[in-house]
Amino acid sequence: MAISGGSTLVYTGLAVLMGVLPGIWLSNVPPTPGLKPLTPLEARGRDVYVSEGCFYCHTQQVRPLPGDKPFGRPSAPGDYAYQTTELLGSERNGPDLSNIGARQSSSIWQFIHLYQPRAVVPQSIMPAFPWLFSVVDKVPPAEKAVSLPPEFAPGGTVIPNEDGKALVAYLLSLKQPALAPTQPGAVPLSRSSGPLGFDASKGAALFANNCASCHGAEGKGVPGTFPPLAGDPVVNAANPTAHIGAVLHGLSGHVINGQKYEAPMPAFADQLSDQEIADIIDHERSSWGNRGALISAADVVAARANEPLQKQQTPPKQVSPIATPAPTFDPAEGAKLFAENCAACHGAEGKGVPGTFPPLAGDQVVNATDPAEHITTMMRGLGGKAINGQKYEVEMPPFADRLSDQQIADIINHERTSWGNHGPLVTLADITKLRAKK
């Protein structure tokens, strides 16, 4: 009895000390600021992720090691607050997925990759998941076809089934919120302020980690889905503004050499430092026969502040006499706020997504002399409105409770002075006055 009772007490004490108490402590760790709970669709996708065995080959734990840097910042305890049991994984036959929603935010790319991985990553060893899709003769209403390269396309049109949509929704939800500098694992981005040399090997590595999955290791892209970079006019242009802007803020629905590419390119402004972006761009401008002028980190700093874009997009002859820059309008802040809150739908160039999100470039409300409707739309949102004869069913969210009056004014003024728009600028008082109206 003494031996049995004593060993039982020892094991019980160890279990409480090493299992129960740490579990209680970890269960009280607050979510990482900015982390969002899974939606019902994303939760279903997580179940599909488990049932298909994705965690056999993919981890969701970024270690504080140099080799893990391409996958995101080191994982923090609060990152897993809304996902129990945690899908940490133990093998990394494929890349870590902790931040895949930010690294590869194109749903079109994700669908192609699931249907046939070799269509976008020729060297991939990942199995295909065709049972997450259906092949139909005609695309049903409200569905969108998966644009496959001709050599991988079946006899009909491919559309994702409900499990496929849920799985992609879950993958796109895997985004690491930025950590405050005082939080464990926080790695602040370095911002370069002067011209630094082009490190060819670093540029090649950064391109491979961030861009090659869509544009290909040889810059050839995927026909009809992801544009080639080899021989591209923007990559070879003497003025690098458009090239830097595309990498910083992303791109969507752009026509390149007569071909329209619907798959959105993700923005890298918050993922990479100025020097890293410069290295990637210089790699693209000096590879595959391209001969574009090289850039420096200082060029990226200027583009972040929207300086070249502002000069190019609002020449004096196009600016309305009324549109004298208001003292409270900070162009750099307006560009930053627009990129963080609006560009995902309306596009970095204000072109929107045809049939889904309306363009802001040339829009009557954005260029109207009276800014009341523009301000009201920003504060209270909009849905089901016909714009230029096209009805947009996707609702625009309200920003009245998310942004201050000054932030809303900066975004509106950015929209009114970009992409050829020349609407009169608004003031902080205009926003405050309309916010008070119910």
Side-chain angles (χ1 to χ4, degrees):
M1 289 294 293
I3 295 174
S4 177
S7 61
T8 299
L9 287 174
V10 170
Y11 286 131
T12 301
L14 288 174
V16 171
L17 182 64
M18 301 175 66
V20 176
L21 294 180
I24 294 173
W25 176 78
L26 287 173
S27 67
N28 292 322
V29 172
T32 302
L35 189 70
K36 298 179 180 178
L38 296 180
T39 65
L41 180 63
E42 293 163 356
R44 175 178 174 177
R46 188 176 190 272
D47 292 338
V48 176
Y49 182 94
V50 172
S51 66
E52 297 295 345
C54 301
F55 62 94
Y56 295 152
C57 297
H58 293 283
T59 57
Q60 289 187 37
Q61 48 173 321
V62 182
R63 302 166 299 181
L65 300 174
D68 280 16
K69 189 176 180 181
F71 303 131
R73 59 160 174 76
S75 298
D79 294 345
Y80 306 101
Y82 299 126
Q83 297 205 49
T84 305
T85 304
E86 297 81 357
L87 302 177
L88 301 180
S90 59
E91 297 288 337
R92 193 176 280 171
N93 297 317
D96 185 273
L97 301 181
S98 299
N99 200 37
I100 190 62
R103 294 203 323 265
Q104 185 46 272
S105 61
S106 168
S107 60
I108 296 176
W109 188 94
Q110 297 288 357
F111 283 129
I112 295 174
H113 187 238
L114 286 172
Y115 184 81
Q116 177 47 262
R118 262 66 61 192
V120 286
V121 185
Q123 69 275 19
S124 176
I125 61 172
M126 174 177 152
F129 294 85
W131 51 87
L132 298 178
F133 301 84
S134 301
V135 180
V136 298
D137 295 327
K138 184 178 180 181
V139 180
E143 293 287 348
K144 193 169 185 178
V146 178
S147 178
L148 289 162
E151 62 268 32
F152 296 100
T157 302
V158 176
I159 59 173
N161 61 26
E162 296 306 312
D163 281 349
K165 294 176 185 176
L167 177 55
V168 167
Y170 173 66
L171 292 173
L172 295 182
S173 75
L174 297 176
K175 299 178 181 178
Q176 292 180 317
L179 295 180
T182 55
Q183 288 181 270
V187 181
L189 289 178
S190 61
R191 292 278 179 97
S192 303
S193 57
L196 298 176
F198 169 41
D199 185 336
S201 60
K202 186 177 179 182
L206 287 166
F207 179 87
N209 291 330
N210 296 279
C211 317
S213 60
C214 291
H215 295 293
E218 298 181 358
K220 295 180 179 179
V222 176
T225 306
F226 304 112
L229 299 178
D232 181 74
V234 172
V235 177
N236 286 282
N239 184 344
T241 300
H243 194 175
I244 299 173
V247 178
L248 278 174
H249 307 301
L251 206 60
S252 173
H254 203 59
V255 177
I256 302 173
N257 295 327
Q259 168 72 52
K260 187 172 185 180
Y261 293 90
E262 298 289 353
M265 171 180 167
F268 289 93
D270 295 331
Q271 299 183 49
L272 301 174
S273 70
D274 297 327
Q275 185 60 53
E276 288 171 328
I277 289 175
D279 284 339
I280 287 177
I281 289 176
D282 284 340
H283 172 75
E284 295 171 352
R285 288 179 157 248
S286 59
S287 301
W288 321 301
N290 292 335
R291 295 183 297 275
L294 299 188
I295 69 166
S296 68
D299 296 319
V300 183
V301 173
R304 280 191 192 266
N306 209 27
E307 292 170 2
L309 290 174
Q310 203 68 25
K311 293 174 184 176
Q312 179 178 333
Q313 292 165 351
T314 57
K317 65 179 182 180
Q318 291 184 346
V319 178
S320 166
I322 308 174
T324 303
T328 54
F329 175 39
D330 182 343
E333 184 67 12
K336 176 177 177 290
L337 288 166
F338 180 87
E340 294 172 349
N341 296 278
C342 316
C345 294
H346 295 293
E349 297 184 354
K351 294 181 178 179
V353 176
T356 306
F357 304 113
L360 299 178
D363 182 74
Q364 295 177 353
V365 172
V366 176
N367 287 283
T369 303
D370 182 355
E373 185 175 357
H374 194 176
I375 298 170
T376 303
T377 300
M378 269 291 302
M379 289 200 297
R380 302 191 174 98
L382 199 65
K385 184 178 179 181
I387 302 174
N388 295 326
Q390 169 72 53
K391 188 172 183 181
Y392 294 89
E393 298 293 347
V394 179
E395 290 190 4
M396 171 179 166
F399 288 90
D401 295 333
R402 297 166 55 182
L403 299 175
S404 68
D405 291 348
Q406 184 61 62
Q407 290 172 322
I408 291 175
D410 285 340
I411 289 177
I412 289 176
N413 285 332
H414 172 75
E415 295 172 352
R416 288 178 158 247
T417 58
S418 300
W419 321 301
N421 292 335
H422 48 84
L425 301 189
V426 302
T427 65
L428 185 62
D430 294 328
I431 313 298
T432 304
K433 179 180 178 181
L434 286 174
R435 187 187 284 272
K437 287 187 177 181
K438 300 298 183 182

